[in-house]
Amino acid sequence: MFKRLDLAVINRSFWPVYPVIGEALMRFSEQQAKHQSVGVILQDHADIKTHLAKEKRGDGVQFFPCHAFSVSGSSILRRAIDAVFFMLWVAAVLLIKRPKNVYVSTDPPVLVPFIVMLYCKLFRASYVYHLQDIHPEAANVVIPVRPLLYRLLLSMDALTMRHAQLLITITHEMAEEIKRRSGTTAPIRVLSNPSVSFDQVVVPPHKVLGFTFCGNAGRLQRIPLLIRAIDQYASAGGTLPFVFAGAGVFAGDLQQLADKHDNVTYKGLVSASDAAQLNADYCWALLPIEDDVTRFAFPSKSSSYVFAGANILAICGAHTSVASWVLDNRLGVVIEPDVETLCSFFFDVERHVVDMSVFDTERKELKESLGFDVFVKQLTDLVINEGEG
């Protein structure tokens, strides 16, 4: 006799390739599989079934992977086509397995959550919608979407928000944005993204005076501005090291910068543990972000910077949620997105003008709130206790 899934977890990015939200959702799924039938719908970047067998993970969880045709550095068109393909895959699995409850995130945005909403309406299921960013607004900040398509996507996502059993997002600012634009009466809960695991990372007693950037070198991270500032600083005789790790559309530009200056290194895509160790080795971590997008998203790398004990250099406007988070928690400084100002700050750091004694280097309470165990516990409370209510 056919048995419906009790819970479907839908997230395009998953373990082992994505060590933050992917690992967190793996732990959540493994826990829930002890008590109910759980299925995970994902895109497969690294032959997940081989990794599951090798690492002995995913006990009791059913996995429904589909092939991935794009990565973070792929063109917008290729990623859009890939999102449509994943949407069709999700729809097929939902119709076959008929889950009673669904967890769905904004990875990918709009289309897949909308399909989940339609499925739940048709088959009397419930869903929790986790907005790790808000689309289409986040994408529209950097690459304007055609007005007609933008309004269509906006309407689709607002409808998805209004019919959810529960909404989860990252910041209170994002929660207010969700309310304002969707008119939803569904409860909204705030849940910070966890950090990558630092179990194998050694924080040295004396860090290298320099800067790291570990994350997506994408369209929202002000990479061109950062490149110009570093180029100006190094060309003027600045000697502090800059180390970049991660993929993205500006990977080639970072490599060119590294080829031009001896104090700049671009490592490409590295493992999560290697990225965590890089963040721990250097005094400063770069956190550039477009101002407008902070209403709709929050940089995921920020949690890992906290655990690394790195001082954070946020490159954004002082009015943003990112700036408030850095300053309120005494994590570092905020610099306006200006090449001259940024270049001057690099020289101030090199000359030991910046007073780093005012920063909180212990961050005990903040670290506790960003740990994997806390995240999974809070996600369980939200999805299982509230979302299935």
Side-chain angles (χ1 to χ4, degrees):
M1 179 177 167
F2 173 77
K3 187 176 184 301
R4 297 177 65 183
L5 283 174
D6 292 313
L7 174 66
V9 175
I10 304 172
N11 202 77
R12 176 167 57 177
S13 307
F14 205 74
W15 179 94
V17 177
Y18 296 90
V20 182
I21 194 66
E23 172 65 26
L25 290 178
M26 170 64 94
R27 295 187 189 190
F28 169 71
S29 301
E30 289 170 331
Q31 282 189 11
Q32 293 311 305
K34 297 174 183 177
H35 314 291
Q36 57 183 330
S37 58
V38 178
V40 175
I41 308 174
L42 68 146
Q43 278 195 326
D44 196 355
H45 289 268
D47 189 10
I48 187 171
K49 293 194 174 180
T50 298
H51 283 279
L52 289 169
K54 181 180 178 182
E55 303 293 333
K56 295 181 172 58
R57 296 293 302 271
D59 187 34
V61 181
Q62 300 178 51
F63 291 90
F64 305 96
C66 78
H67 183 70
F69 292 99
S70 67
V71 295
S72 61
S74 300
S75 68
I76 294 293
L77 178 61
R78 187 179 182 89
R79 295 186 70 181
I81 294 172
D82 202 18
V84 171
F85 177 76
F86 185 63
M87 176 193 71
L88 296 174
W89 176 258
V90 168
V93 175
L94 289 177
L95 291 173
I96 293 170
K97 302 304 294 184
R98 303 283 179 86
K100 301 171 187 175
N101 301 286
V102 180
Y103 163 95
V104 63
S105 77
T106 46
D107 183 15
V110 184
L111 295 180
V112 168
F114 184 75
I115 287 295
V116 168
M117 185 272 294
L118 292 178
Y119 161 79
C120 289
K121 281 294 179 186
L122 288 171
F123 294 94
R124 297 183 179 180
S126 66
Y127 65 97
V128 172
Y129 188 12
H130 191 168
L131 291 111
Q132 294 159 341
D133 40 28
I134 304 172
H135 286 276
E137 293 95 326
N140 194 58
V141 169
V142 176
I143 302 177
V145 182
R146 291 183 179 277
L148 184 61
L149 177 59
Y150 180 82
R151 288 194 296 271
L152 175 62
L153 294 174
L154 198 67
S155 299
M156 291 170 63
D157 207 44
L159 192 62
T160 304
M161 292 176 183
R162 288 197 293 271
H163 288 285
Q165 184 79 15
L166 175 73
L167 299 169
I168 305 173
T169 194
I170 299 176
T171 68
H172 292 286
E173 185 178 17
M174 291 172 67
E176 289 302 316
E177 190 66 34
I178 289 167
K179 289 180 185 177
R180 184 197 64 77
R181 69 97 122 154
S182 70
T184 184
T185 58
I188 305 175
R189 302 289 181 257
V190 173
L191 177 61
S192 299
N193 277 339
S195 165
V196 298
S197 174
F198 272 73
D199 293 341
Q200 307 300 320
V201 175
V202 178
V203 179
H206 302 290
K207 291 170 170 281
V208 177
L209 187 62
F211 298 83
T212 59
F213 175 96
C214 295
N216 181 39
R219 297 174 176 87
L220 305 178
Q221 284 76 30
R222 297 188 185 274
I223 299 299
L225 179 141
L226 187 57
I227 288 174
R228 292 197 302 272
I230 295 172
D231 182 44
Q232 181 172 312
Y233 164 75
S235 297
T239 59
L240 290 181
F242 293 81
V243 180
F244 291 86
V249 294
F250 293 109
D253 301 86
L254 291 173
Q255 184 61 62
Q256 289 180 14
L257 182 70
D259 292 341
K260 183 176 181 181
H261 299 290
D262 293 337
N263 58 327
V264 180
T265 304
Y266 176 58
K267 292 182 171 292
L269 193 61
V270 301
S271 70
S273 58
D274 287 344
Q277 188 63 63
L278 276 175
N279 291 333
D281 288 342
Y282 287 80
C283 284
W284 290 89
L286 298 165
L287 190 62
I289 189 76
E290 291 283 347
D291 286 10
D292 287 345
V293 83
T294 60
R295 293 166 51 200
F296 316 116
F298 198 86
S300 58
K301 67 177 81 64
S302 56
S303 298
S304 298
Y305 287 170
V306 169
F307 273 78
N311 303 315
I312 296 176
L313 171 57
I315 304 168
C316 58
H319 63 282
T320 63
S321 59
V322 170
S324 298
W325 179 76
V326 169
L327 297 177
D328 292 348
N329 290 293
R330 296 188 295 125
L331 300 174
V333 299
V334 177
I335 297 292
E336 290 289 335
D338 174 77
V339 170
E340 295 292 338
T341 305
L342 197 52
C343 182
S344 296
F345 180 80
F346 294 152
F347 275 114
D348 286 345
V349 172
E350 183 174 351
R351 296 163 184 159
H352 301 278
V353 175
V354 179
D355 180 12
M356 295 190 290
S357 65
V358 299
F359 304 148
D360 177 13
T361 55
E362 295 297 326
R363 308 169 185 181
K364 291 181 180 178
E365 291 185 6
L366 191 56
K367 284 182 179 179
E368 288 177 2
S369 70
L370 299 174
F372 267 121
D373 292 340
V374 172
F375 178 87
V376 174
K377 181 181 183 300
Q378 291 178 338
L379 186 64
T380 300
D381 289 341
L382 293 173
V383 175
I384 304 304
N385 298 335
E386 289 197 53
E388 295 184 3

